[in-house]
Amino acid sequence: MKGKQKALQVKKRGARGIVERLNKSKSLYLLMLPSIVIFVLFTYIPMYGIVIAFKTYKPALGIAGSKWAGLTYFKQYFNSYQFWPTIKNTIVISLYSIAVTFPLPIALALMCNQMTAKRFKKFFQVSTYLPHFISTVVMCGMIILFTSPRNGIIAHLLKYVGIEFPNVMGQASAFPTIYVLTEAWQHVGWDSILYIAALSAIDPTLYEAATMDGASKFKRMLHIDIPMLLPTASIMFILRMGSVMSVGFEKVYLLQNNLNQKTSEIISTYVYKMGLISNQYSLSAAIGLFNNIVNLVLLLTVNLISAKLQDTSLI
Amino acid sequence: MTAKMKKIRKSREDRIFDGIIYTIAVLLTLIALYPMYFIVIASISDPKAVAAGEVILFPSGLNLKGYENLFQYKQLWTGYLNTIIYAVLGTIICLAVNIPAAYALSRKELFGRKLFVIFYLIPMFFTGGLIPTYMNIQNFDLYDSIWVMVLPFSVVTYYIIVARTFFSSSIPDELWEAAQIDGAGTMRYFITIVLPLSKAILAVIALWSAVSQWNSYFNAMIYLRDDLLKPLQLVLRGILINNQTASAMLTGTAATEAKEMAELIKYSVIVISSAPIMCMYPFVQKYFNQGVMVGSLKG
């Protein structure tokens, strides 16, 4: 009886409380309004548009008027000759990238941490960051210019040591390597900032104690720096693994040509070509949705793992 | 005395280790800088010498024809102007929509905060994808207009998370209590007290937004048709990737000469288009680094 009364009271207070709290948050809602409107109009409405993946979209009939097609377009993609190549290429480029561009920034940060010459250290950092500010288009332009087998600088430099430089842009097998190495050149310095910060947070008394015990610089790096970087590194690694199936469109698309398509056609470039070049809206939307769902599953799994590893999850 | 002691303490092993570290560092610095240095010297050299591999360390046969050609290439300057317009306008809109939202989310008394957080987070995990988004832009009649470059994709969850973290960690609650006692409402408090205290985060997000406007070409490629609206990166794509210069600027020259000139133009256009960002970089580096740090904090 008493409990019931109490519950009623709470409920009453709750209802009045809600109005009061809504009223109190009024101005805060106003602050969020522009972003909410833009998000609903341009991000949430397209989520409804995904239904065209399950319909045979005819522009004249509109999204709602087009006929349902069920899973036809998904099956069309799964059975097409481009299904495995696009998935394989996406994963190969992705894993290859992670294998190279994940450990390098850590190595760079460890090195940077060992330098005692302040001026040189600063210069080293600034010059390794700089390539990060080159735009994707310019980067790809540089790659094409440099790798030209007749006029390119790489070919000229290799001539001095007597090596003939092949036409790498025309070889399908070389594409992932070109993509990954240039990616490393451009972003390794930048990506090391995070680790350099983590290293600078290490308590200096640890080093002093180790030096007292006779540990060399190398030993100190091995037994202090590396263990201290592990937590940051493992989060970064997990995050990277979560986006294994989503390779950025911009760089791959610019480096693509007829000769390297066998290894350079990834899911995102295929979605673009099917959709906006061949105008197969429903098929393209279906492939996009498939990729999106795979990414979602990966991200949630990764988040779960990181939640298990740490006390809190990434989100 | 202490310096001497330190010198003694540096063991043979440590000296070798230092030697290896510095050697690698010097090599890496060269690898990082040389390609950019080469672009610059190639852009002012005789294209014949570049093609023959005579330009390695120093420019040869000073030649500014590449730049001369580009100064007459109107499309490039239209693109430049457009990019500046998109970057400025896009950044203003980006700040105007994301920062207030981030601030609202940082306030504990926001009723329904959890729901709003979910609302902003969902698009990080799931989006409509290329085709539905494209159709939506067409439905709103934004195709081929300035607005498509600055408005529809201006809300960025990541920026909101970063700014929210900043607000909840650097603006003390007591400030709001004090402002309330003085009779200020949320709006006035936000504009006159919070914003001036948040210059650092405003700078970080403005930079991120401006740089992404400067660099990306994808939205411009799919949503803009009119040459007069195209941003710099699309013009660059034409010159660098699709080899459009040859026909546009070099009518009447002999074939091989035209090809060499086209390469010279490519080197020059890389310099012209990348120099501003590179020159700006040392001045804003502080903010960029700050951004990486703030961004690495958990939302």
Side-chain angles (χ1 to χ4, degrees):
Chain A
M1 191 60 184
K2 232 182 179 177
K4 209 179 172 186
Q5 225 170 13
K6 211 174 173 187
L8 237 154
Q9 228 175 17
V10 170
K11 210 176 173 187
K12 219 173 163 188
R13 207 191 308 147
R16 209 180 318 132
I18 287 177
V19 176
E20 209 172 280
R21 289 174 73 184
L22 275 174
N23 214 11
K24 253 182 130 181
S25 306
K26 227 169 34 193
S27 338
L28 293 177
Y29 294 141
L30 201 63
L31 286 175
M32 289 193 295
L33 190 66
S35 60
I36 292 178
V37 170
I38 292 174
F39 239 11
V40 168
L41 290 184
F42 299 108
T43 308
Y44 276 88
I45 291 181
M47 289 184 196
Y48 159 72
I50 292 178
V51 296
I52 65 162
F54 303 95
K55 290 183 163 195
T56 303
Y57 179 69
K58 294 259 159 55
L61 299 172
I63 296 176
S66 294
K67 271 208 191 85
W68 289 99
L71 297 176
T72 319
Y73 292 101
F74 291 90
K75 281 182 196 148
Q76 192 182 332
Y77 175 53
F78 296 149
N79 295 327
S80 79
Y81 73 101
Q82 281 288 27
F83 175 64
W84 279 118
T86 49
I87 290 188
K88 199 190 94 200
N89 293 340
T90 307
I91 294 178
V92 165
I93 290 176
S94 210
L95 289 181
Y96 195 175
S97 289
I98 294 175
V100 175
T101 62
F102 173 70
L104 279 181
I106 301 178
L108 210 70
L110 288 171
M111 258 179 65
C112 222
N113 200 42
Q114 295 300 330
M115 292 184 203
T116 39
K118 278 229 169 78
R119 277 256 178 89
F120 179 74
K121 186 176 169 180
K122 186 96 208 153
F123 180 71
F124 173 72
Q125 277 182 296
V126 170
S127 26
T128 47
Y129 295 171
L130 263 184
H132 178 78
F133 295 94
I134 296 173
S135 74
T136 313
V137 177
V138 167
M139 187 66 212
C140 295
M142 281 169 69
I143 295 170
I144 293 168
L145 276 169
F146 285 180
T147 57
S148 157
R150 269 193 310 146
N151 298 345
I153 179 71
I154 300 179
H156 288 315
L157 287 174
L158 285 178
K159 228 189 293 170
Y160 280 99
V161 278
I163 302 172
E164 181 119 343
F165 189 60
N167 179 14
V168 285
M169 286 305 288
Q171 290 173 342
S173 58
F175 183 82
T177 306
I178 295 172
Y179 178 89
V180 169
L181 290 185
T182 52
E183 200 70 2
W185 179 75
Q186 213 186 342
H187 302 298
V188 160
W190 182 255
D191 291 345
S192 70
I193 296 178
L194 188 64
Y195 298 109
I196 291 174
L199 284 173
S200 66
I202 297 177
D203 185 355
T205 52
L206 276 177
Y207 294 114
E208 281 162 27
T211 320
M212 283 297 179
D213 289 344
S216 66
K217 275 186 120 179
F218 180 68
K219 281 263 168 65
R220 274 177 268 160
M221 183 174 97
L222 211 62
H223 296 294
I224 300 175
D225 292 351
I226 293 181
M228 293 302 257
L229 278 186
L230 271 181
T232 316
S234 55
I235 297 177
M236 296 311 281
F237 182 72
I238 291 170
L239 280 176
R240 289 287 300 269
M241 290 308 284
S243 53
V244 152
M245 284 290 277
S246 51
V247 175
F249 170 93
E250 297 205 338
K251 190 171 167 193
V252 173
Y253 184 68
L254 291 180
L255 290 177
Q256 255 179 5
N257 57 42
N258 293 332
L259 297 170
N260 64 23
Q261 221 162 53
K262 222 176 104 194
T263 53
S264 67
E265 190 78 289
I266 57 172
I267 302 176
S268 54
T269 54
Y270 191 58
V271 167
Y272 169 73
K273 284 178 193 165
M274 283 298 112
L276 295 183
I277 309 254
S278 314
N279 284 321
Q280 303 196 51
Y281 280 17
S282 292
L283 175 63
S284 176
I287 305 169
L289 178 59
F290 164 73
N291 193 15
N292 209 332
I293 289 171
V294 175
N295 285 335
L296 181 67
V297 171
L298 278 171
L299 265 175
L300 292 178
T301 319
V302 150
N303 196 54
L304 206 72
I305 297 172
S306 86
K308 282 252 163 76
L309 286 181
Q310 309 171 290
D311 293 333
T312 45
S313 67
L314 293 168
I315 353 172
Chain B
M1 177 84 172
T2 42
K4 212 174 184 183
M5 265 171 67
K6 255 185 196 159
K7 231 177 204 169
I8 295 164
R9 242 194 275 145
K10 224 176 188 183
S11 67
R12 213 174 105 85
E13 203 187 327
D14 279 359
R15 261 181 289 141
I16 296 173
F17 182 70
D18 271 348
I20 296 174
I21 293 273
Y22 282 107
T23 317
I24 299 176
V26 169
L27 274 174
L28 288 180
T29 312
L30 285 177
I31 294 174
L33 293 182
Y34 181 72
M36 294 183 273
Y37 173 73
F38 175 76
I39 294 278
V40 175
I41 58 171
S43 75
I44 51 172
S45 293
D46 178 11
K48 275 203 179 67
V50 177
E54 284 156 18
V55 176
I56 302 277
L57 291 177
F58 305 103
S60 120
L62 192 71
N63 179 339
L64 296 173
K65 282 233 175 69
Y67 292 103
E68 276 166 29
N69 266 310
L70 284 172
F71 280 113
Q72 289 158 17
Y73 190 43
K74 257 208 181 129
Q75 179 76 63
L76 180 72
W77 302 106
T78 317
Y80 232 117
L81 189 68
N82 286 336
T83 291
I84 293 171
I85 293 172
Y86 299 150
V88 171
L89 209 58
T91 303
I92 292 172
I93 294 179
C94 173
L95 289 176
V97 299
N98 290 315
I99 295 291
Y103 174 68
L105 287 174
S106 79
R107 284 272 291 267
K108 285 183 201 76
E109 73 265 32
L110 173 68
F111 187 53
R113 187 157 84 138
K114 273 230 164 90
L115 276 177
F116 285 110
V117 170
I118 292 173
F119 170 83
Y120 286 107
L121 275 178
I122 286 176
M124 263 186 135
F125 294 89
F126 194 80
T127 57
L130 176 66
I131 296 300
T133 309
Y134 178 82
M135 286 163 56
N136 189 47
I137 292 291
Q138 282 196 320
N139 284 342
F140 277 104
D141 230 356
L142 286 172
Y143 185 80
D144 220 6
S145 79
I146 299 186
W147 298 106
V148 76
M149 297 302 294
V150 294
L151 187 67
F153 312 109
S154 58
V155 185
V156 181
T157 303
Y158 182 67
Y159 298 170
I160 294 180
I161 294 176
V162 170
R164 188 192 69 164
T165 312
F166 175 88
F167 288 132
S168 50
S169 63
S170 329
I171 311 276
D173 289 342
E174 289 80 14
L175 218 54
W176 165 231
E177 282 154 25
Q180 260 179 318
I181 293 168
D182 290 346
T186 297
M187 286 296 175
R188 219 175 115 201
Y189 171 67
F190 175 65
I191 293 166
T192 59
I193 298 181
V194 174
L195 284 184
L197 286 174
S198 313
K199 280 182 201 130
I201 198 69
L202 292 175
V204 166
I205 292 188
L207 269 176
W208 279 344
S209 157
V211 168
S212 89
Q213 280 284 354
W214 180 273
N215 277 343
S216 62
Y217 71 90
F218 183 70
N219 283 338
M221 177 176 84
I222 64 175
Y223 296 123
L224 298 180
R225 183 112 313 155
D226 189 348
D227 275 347
L228 288 174
L229 291 177
K230 283 182 179 162
L232 179 65
Q233 297 302 326
L234 269 193
V235 183
L236 288 177
R237 174 172 165 254
I239 297 174
L240 290 171
I241 315 285
N242 301 346
N243 296 312
Q244 277 164 7
T245 40
S247 48
M249 300 178 213
L250 306 166
T251 40
T253 28
T256 44
E257 216 170 292
K259 214 184 152 207
E260 278 161 1
M261 187 47 84
E263 293 219 326
L264 183 68
I265 288 172
K266 285 183 187 181
Y267 289 117
S268 314
V269 85
I270 290 178
V271 175
I272 290 186
S273 67
S274 306
I277 282 250
M278 298 266 177
C279 294
M280 229 177 67
Y281 166 72
F283 300 102
V284 296
Q285 186 200 4
K286 194 178 85 195
Y287 291 111
F288 267 113
N289 291 8
Q290 245 171 27
V292 174
M293 297 313 148
V294 185
S296 68
L297 290 176
K298 212 162 50 68

